[in-house]
């Protein structure tokens, strides 16, 4: 409520604490919590301990380190004084991608520096900076309300293995589901359209992937002696790939699109009003052309349409020169991006049937699926989404637009297990260099993130009374 | 002519010299002339020297060792006393495949043994045995005619790099074309249908092969962020492969079949009368089904029809597990078996055009062809072929049938450079184990080879007066 959280109080509070906040973030960035590198396992633990201590210092009455078979997660909880307030679970991660000066960093990746209004360092944007804005944010919220506790029941779950594929995350969430129970999940591990266009992400695609092996002759055989008279498993693999799409770029697997809600005119209009520059997008994609399902724009294709993609194909002789064989085997790695309405296990069954029906006589095949990730989609009229949009609009002083993400993430596990809608609140921008050398965060945007959360909890408590509360 | 070469004289001569002949062959087999293994380079030279000396002892007035940048070839010449007699060039090779006891040999591969009417040892059939029957054969021919020189101008070219892909062979033939000039080339490096079905091979397929590289994004890109909106080079490669054939298994490249003479009813009847057992053929092929161009039998497909075959395909991630990328590149290795009437360079041009027209926007490609091998086909009514059939029929006492080979060989270089028809005279059988452990030659068949050539030179001189003679 703007009455109890005057924006000037919030801004003054942030200004006053800005230096200490940035110093603290820099201290955290100095811990090289690289989850993919076993030699940094101690650093990942140290990062969890550092964060837990900082959250305690922030005021969270409950801070815990949750071990996993891999790296530990941090959990914190700060209940509202109003028992009927909504419960919000914030998700982020405290582990980071590997980084070394030799990769092209201008300064040491784990010695953060502030230059030209940016803080450079591994994890500045992905994801320590975006986790950290919640600490000063909740303090600014309290400064504005004068209350001793936030207006919502606030929980944080900050995992330590996101950059390693979150191998233990779902099990952790399932095991701790009662502690994590929430009315809404807010994921702070995405970004905005650009420095000048604040946006809220409203969905991520899901993904299902499989490996298919094709076995033809019992060994590579002579293409002179036998070629033209026996089936070739590499040809079988290639024909399957070629048959995946029709001429309009639509996936041909029967049932693949079942259950998908078509984009509404309103949703298409929201996407179309973004200042999209296809040439710039292609430069980012490092692709030399755009291509995809007919009838959809590039953004619609990557955000709102499911795909079938060949991630890898192999078979026969791949060394230098030629080798005149009919190969004994071939293999495919396919992945399917999924959108809201698609059930991964139904897609898997459809793929299995479609493949089995197309493999020719004389070729044996096997197909193995990995664990799928479900798609997430926040309905545009969800009250919590409206609160995020309002809070962000106040912080940025601009109309907030909507994006989605084409990728897939562990947020879907939270949605599945906790049966709560997922929202995305991030202030990172495409130039921040996630997973690249010279990762940075824009300090102005980081502080807008602080300000957004300072407004958000009050707005949410005021406008939303979830049935379960 | 049967008058001047009574079969009994030939047979008695062979019986008398059989033991010495086999002892000599065994001595040659003891030289491990493995051209593919640099440590045996000295043995390959020793093999050439041994053969040259033996040919001199046989009576060839000219025996020479022809060096190449690799292993040496042996050339021998024995002119007829009749200047108008046809000139015959016999082709074979004195190098052998690698072999080691550990590969599954029952006895040392380079310590030949005779057991159950067979001589076991590396090179017994491929190709020393089949080169060597020409030595006793020409002596038996002279014994029968009582002449001091063969009825034809006889030349032998026995190369030393066939098992290494004959890298220097064409250049050698081009350089020595005048010395090698012949009215007909007889290749003794193939086989017969079976122990009980003597056959003459009348053709080999040619081959053209290429590598095609496809480049999409400048690096592997995230299939979540970009998938569905950019072209995938692995998909492009797969679609090309899938488009190679129509539903009838015919190659779709425009012009591919241009110039090919369809099999005549007579030719099809000759193939159909062979005692072909498809189940047995599939066991040999190690394939679990037969498949190919509609309207042709398996033997017609491998002997008389051109093909397009994927020898290798690769692109994207091929390691364990999954990786959700749109790959930066993909590659294909294709080979095309060619039959008489197809010009390799025209096929190459057709393939280039067809590929270029099918690669989608945003994918760059490059295509590189290897050196092609032309197909060979002996017309069934060629007088030299008729002589071979008669000579073989006399030796075997059976009707001689016709086969072809699906593979491709250096014989085509002789045909091209010397502009002479190529015939195939071999007595090896499928069970001889070429390139496998326990290679052997059937002694009865080996001596039938001796006998065939003992009759052949006289028959050829009697029935054929080439225009150039």
């Amino acid at each position: 409520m703007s009455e109890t959280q005057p924006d000037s109080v919030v801004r003054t509070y942030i200004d006053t604490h800005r230096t200490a906040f940035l110093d603290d973030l820099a201290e955290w960035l100095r811990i090289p919590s690289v989850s993919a590198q076993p030699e940094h396992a101690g650093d990942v633990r140290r990062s969890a301990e550092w964060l837990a201590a900082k959250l305690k210092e922030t005021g969270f009455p409950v801070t815990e380190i949750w071990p996993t078979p891999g790296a530990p997660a941090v959990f914190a909880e700060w209940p509202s004084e109003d028992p009927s307030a909504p419960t919000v679970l914030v998700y982020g991660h405290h582990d980071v991608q590997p980084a070394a000066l030799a990769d092209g960093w201008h300064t040491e990746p784990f010695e953060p520096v502030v230059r030209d209004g940016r803080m450079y360092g591994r994890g500045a944007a992905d994801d320590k900076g975006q986790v950290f804005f919640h600490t000063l944010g909740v303090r600014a919220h309290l400064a504005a309300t004068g209350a001793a506790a936030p207006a919502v029941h606030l929980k944080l779950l900050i995992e330590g293995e996101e950059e390693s594929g979150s191998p233990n995350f779902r099990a952790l969430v399932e095991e701790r589901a009662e502690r994590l129970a929430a009315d809404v999940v807010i994921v702070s591990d995405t970004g905005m359209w650009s420095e000048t266009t604040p946006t809220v992400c409203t969905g991520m695609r899901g993904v299902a992937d499989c490996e298919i092996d094709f076995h033809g002759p019992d060994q590579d055989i002579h293409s002179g002696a036998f070629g033209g008279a026996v089936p070739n498993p590499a040809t079988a693999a290639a024909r399957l790939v070629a048959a995946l799409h029709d001429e309009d770029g639509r996936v041909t697997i029967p049932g693949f699109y079942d259950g998908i809600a078509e984009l509404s005119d309103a949703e298409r209009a929201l996407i179309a009003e973004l200042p999209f520059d296809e040439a710039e997008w292609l430069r980012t994609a490092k692709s030399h052309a755009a291509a995809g399902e007919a009838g959809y724009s590039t953004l619609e294709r990557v955000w709102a349409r499911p795909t079938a993609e060949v991630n890898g194909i192999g078979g026969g002789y791949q060394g230098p020169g030629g080798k005149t064989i009919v190969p004994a085997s071939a293999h495919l790695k396919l992945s399917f991006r999924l959108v809201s309405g698609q059930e991964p296990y139904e897609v898997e069954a459809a793929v299995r049937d479609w493949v089995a029906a197309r493999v020719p006589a004389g070729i044996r095949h096997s197909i193995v699926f990995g664990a799928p990730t479900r798609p997430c989609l926040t309905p545009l009229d969800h009250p919590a989404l409206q609160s995020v949009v309002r809070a962000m609009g106040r912080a940025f002083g601009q109309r907030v637009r909507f994006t989605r993400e084409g990728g897939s993430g562990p947020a879907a596990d939270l949605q599945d297990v906790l049966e709560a809608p997922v929202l995305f609140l991030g202030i990172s921008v495409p130039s921040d260099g996630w997973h690249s050398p010279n990762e940075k965060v824009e300090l102005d945007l980081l502080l807008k993130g602080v300000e957004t959360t300072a407004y958000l909890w009050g707005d949410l408590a005021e406008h939303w009374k979830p049935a379960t509360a």
Side-chain angles (χ1 to χ4, degrees), chain A:
Chain A
M1 335 170 207
S2 44
E3 262 66 36
T4 55
Q5 297 178 320
D7 299 6
S8 63
V9 174
V10 164
R11 286 188 186 131
T12 303
Y13 187 89
I14 294 171
D15 275 352
T16 309
H17 295 83
R18 171 196 164 110
T19 306
F21 169 74
L22 294 179
D23 286 351
D24 282 349
L25 176 57
E27 187 176 305
W28 194 19
L29 295 185
R30 278 189 202 99
I31 303 174
S33 51
V34 181
S35 60
Q37 296 176 332
E39 64 269 30
H40 285 295
D43 293 316
V44 181
R45 277 194 304 276
R46 199 150 58 86
S47 162
E49 285 156 10
W50 186 96
L51 177 62
K54 189 57 61 181
L55 291 171
K56 192 181 177 99
E57 190 186 314
T58 300
F60 281 82
V62 175
T63 57
E64 297 175 15
I65 291 178
W66 286 357
T68 76
V74 175
F75 175 75
E77 188 171 3
W78 196 339
S80 170
E81 289 173 337
D82 173 6
S84 73
T87 302
V88 177
L89 174 66
V90 170
Y91 165 85
H93 60 91
H94 68 89
D95 62 320
V96 298
Q97 280 278 311
L101 193 60
D103 297 339
W105 286 76
H106 300 138
T107 53
E108 285 289 347
F110 296 105
E111 282 299 335
V113 296
V114 171
R115 201 172 59 237
D116 302 330
R118 297 158 175 170
M119 185 180 290
Y120 289 87
R122 175 56 88 221
D126 177 21
D127 183 37
K128 285 174 173 169
Q130 303 205 100
V131 166
F132 208 56
F133 69 62
H134 286 281
T135 61
L136 184 55
V138 69
R139 295 286 344 159
H141 162 60
L142 297 179
T145 60
V152 298
H153 301 299
L154 193 56
K155 297 179 180 181
L156 265 67
L157 176 63
I158 311 301
E159 73 157 315
E161 299 188 305
E162 200 274 344
E163 302 295 2
S164 302
S166 302
N168 302 294
F169 185 67
R170 192 178 176 102
L172 180 73
V173 173
E174 284 171 346
E175 199 180 295
R176 310 275 192 162
E178 221 169 308
R179 300 286 306 279
L180 294 168
D183 296 304
V184 67
V185 176
I186 294 189
V187 171
S188 284
D189 187 26
T190 57
M192 308 196 308
W193 180 262
S194 74
E195 286 82 343
T196 53
T197 306
T199 53
V200 176
C201 171
T202 61
M204 297 183 83
R205 292 193 289 190
V207 64
D209 70 291
C210 65
E211 296 186 51
I212 313 177
D213 287 313
F214 302 81
H215 299 278
D218 293 337
Q219 61 187 46
D220 290 349
I221 60 175
H222 195 286
S223 74
F226 305 109
V230 295
N232 180 326
T235 303
R239 287 180 182 168
L240 208 71
V241 171
L244 272 174
H245 299 88
D246 66 15
E247 288 186 359
D248 288 332
R250 279 178 71 85
V251 177
T252 60
I253 298 167
F256 186 74
Y257 293 96
D258 286 0
I260 298 176
E262 279 296 313
L263 280 167
S264 67
D265 289 348
E267 286 168 317
R268 300 188 82 161
L270 287 172
I271 292 174
E273 74 178 18
L274 288 165
F276 177 67
D277 176 343
E278 188 148 285
E280 174 58 31
W281 184 88
L282 285 172
R283 273 191 293 279
T284 308
K286 299 181 190 300
S287 175
H288 299 271
E293 190 181 354
Y296 295 92
S297 71
T298 290
L299 285 182
E300 289 169 351
R301 285 168 177 166
V302 292
W303 287 352
R305 297 300 298 170
T307 67
E309 197 79 57
V310 193
N311 309 123
I313 186 168
Y317 180 68
Q318 298 186 47
K323 193 174 181 190
T324 46
I325 54 167
V326 177
S329 63
H331 52 270
L332 278 183
K333 292 183 195 281
L334 303 181
S335 63
F336 302 88
R337 295 284 163 180
L338 307 177
V339 301
S340 191
Q342 284 179 301
E343 165 53 47
Y345 292 104
E346 286 171 12
V347 169
E348 284 190 23
V351 171
R352 279 180 198 280
D353 289 349
W354 182 82
V355 170
R358 301 188 79 89
V359 175
I363 307 283
R364 287 165 297 127
H365 81 285
S366 60
I367 179 166
V368 178
F369 277 84
T373 299
R374 284 197 168 69
C376 310
L377 186 65
T378 320
L380 289 176
D381 58 359
H382 193 285
L385 181 63
Q386 296 301 326
S387 287
V388 169
V389 168
R390 274 192 300 271
M392 205 166 184
R394 278 167 72 183
F396 282 84
Q398 268 183 275
R399 173 158 163 232
V400 173
R401 295 163 199 258
F402 297 93
T403 64
R404 295 194 196 179
E405 293 264 334
S408 313
D413 289 325
L414 294 166
Q415 168 193 262
D416 281 7
V417 178
L418 305 180
E419 295 176 4
V422 171
L423 307 181
F424 298 87
L425 169 58
I427 51 74
S428 181
V429 286
S431 63
D432 282 351
W434 291 31
H435 300 204
S436 298
N438 304 304
E439 181 181 345
K440 54 89 180 163
V441 67
E442 301 281 331
L443 298 185
D444 280 357
L445 299 181
L446 186 67
L447 296 168
K448 294 289 185 199
V450 171
E451 191 176 343
T452 298
T453 56
Y455 303 138
L456 177 58
W457 309 135
D459 188 288
L460 202 56
E462 183 182 358
H463 290 93
W464 192 34
K465 302 290 172 209
T468 61

